[in-house]
Amino acid sequence: MAFRLRFVQRYRPASREKFMEIEAKFAAMERRRGEYPEGRRLEPYTGRDATNTIVCEFEFETLAEAEGALAMISADSEHDALLSEQLPYMEDSYTEIYQVLDFE
């Protein structure tokens, strides 16, 4: 059974360029460091979330793997430094874990 870990962040619209510049640094760090899971970033075009929202999501085979990745990210000083740089541009953020349903 797969699980999806999602970081949802809403940024100040006037700060989009700076926010995305820092988000690109997160993506580069993830690619550079082998222990990071491969993720993808989404921006709402239409839907419940405002267009000044970014969703970063990762998929894992087990809940334990998702929780382990969350713990690793939470304890990472390089991630914390980038997050500190990005926080002034954020309006809101939250973390979600979804169970992927498979009806086959």
Side-chain angles (χ1 to χ4, degrees), residues 15-101:
S15 301
R16 184 181 194 284
E17 185 175 330
K18 187 63 178 170
F19 185 90
M20 292 299 179
E21 175 185 307
I22 299 165
E23 195 62 31
K25 292 179 186 180
F26 276 107
M29 177 195 69
E30 292 163 12
R31 285 189 305 272
R32 177 175 45 80
R33 295 182 51 196
E35 72 271 22
Y36 266 83
E38 184 177 334
R40 67 180 180 168
R41 285 163 173 79
L42 308 163
E43 186 175 48
Y45 183 74
T46 182
R48 176 188 67 176
D49 292 321
T51 56
N52 59 314
T53 303
I54 189 168
V55 177
C56 181
E57 66 179 26
F58 305 88
E59 192 159 320
F60 300 93
E61 299 271 329
T62 67
L63 179 57
E65 289 176 5
E67 291 171 333
L70 185 56
M72 184 265 305
I73 291 167
S74 297
D76 186 322
S77 61
E78 185 177 5
H79 182 276
D80 285 351
L82 286 173
L83 183 59
S84 292
E85 190 178 338
Q86 199 175 46
L87 281 173
Y89 307 107
M90 274 190 217
E91 290 183 342
D92 190 22
S93 69
Y94 54 93
T95 302
E96 304 173 320
I97 298 179
Y98 287 88
Q99 180 177 330
V100 178
L101 302 176

